[in-house]
Amino acid sequence: QVQLVESGGGLVQAGGSLTLSCIASGSTSGINAMGWYRQAPGKQRELVAEISTSDITTYAVSVKGRFTISRDNAKNTAYLRMNSLKPEDTAVYYCKIYTWWNTYWGQGTQVTVSS
């Protein structure tokens, strides 16, 4: 019922910044929490950040203080602002949406941080 489209990935030098966007469509009235996950080659997909309907946020220790998750409910969009990027942040970043009964994943957007 919900479709997600991520954008904003790309190449950036270490220390740079990127902002990812995730636009939801479909049954958007049922959206609860929204989040960002990432998966590097050969590694498990991991939580980056999540944000609740009341704007309570959760961050991975590795990104806390550098990344900021936000949401615009009117636009059905989640954002991930990534500052002070490091080579170890290189991964495919996936948007995740929770509805009342289901979870949905985007197809991912590549973020590559060069050293």
Side-chain angles (χ1 to χ4, degrees):
Q1 292 183 333
V2 177
Q3 296 78 45
L4 307 176
V5 178
E6 301 117 322
S7 63
L11 296 169
V12 64
Q13 294 183 356
S17 299
L18 285 173
T19 298
L20 307 183
S21 299
C22 173
I23 302 175
S25 62
S27 186
T28 56
S29 63
I31 293 175
N32 290 311
M34 310 177 80
W36 288 95
Y37 289 69
R38 68 186 182 187
Q39 187 168 23
K43 296 184 178 180
Q44 182 179 341
R45 187 175 298 186
E46 64 178 357
L47 169 73
V48 176
E50 289 192 343
I51 183 168
S52 73
T53 55
S54 57
D55 291 336
I56 298 172
T57 57
T58 301
Y59 295 94
V61 172
S62 60
V63 308
K64 193 172 185 178
R66 299 188 296 119
F67 292 8
T68 302
I69 188 171
S70 61
R71 62 191 293 167
D72 186 334
N73 293 329
K75 297 181 179 180
N76 301 311
T77 302
Y79 303 95
L80 184 69
R81 176 64 176 176
M82 303 182 292
N83 295 322
S84 302
L85 283 162
K86 305 174 181 179
E88 50 262 47
D89 294 318
T90 295
V92 177
Y93 284 70
Y94 298 90
C95 181
K96 183 180 182 181
I97 301 295
Y98 300 84
T99 64
W100 288 110
W101 289 357
N102 297 290
T103 60
Y104 299 88
W105 292 89
Q107 293 300 305
T109 183
Q110 177 72 47
V111 172
T112 302
V113 184
S114 64
S115 60

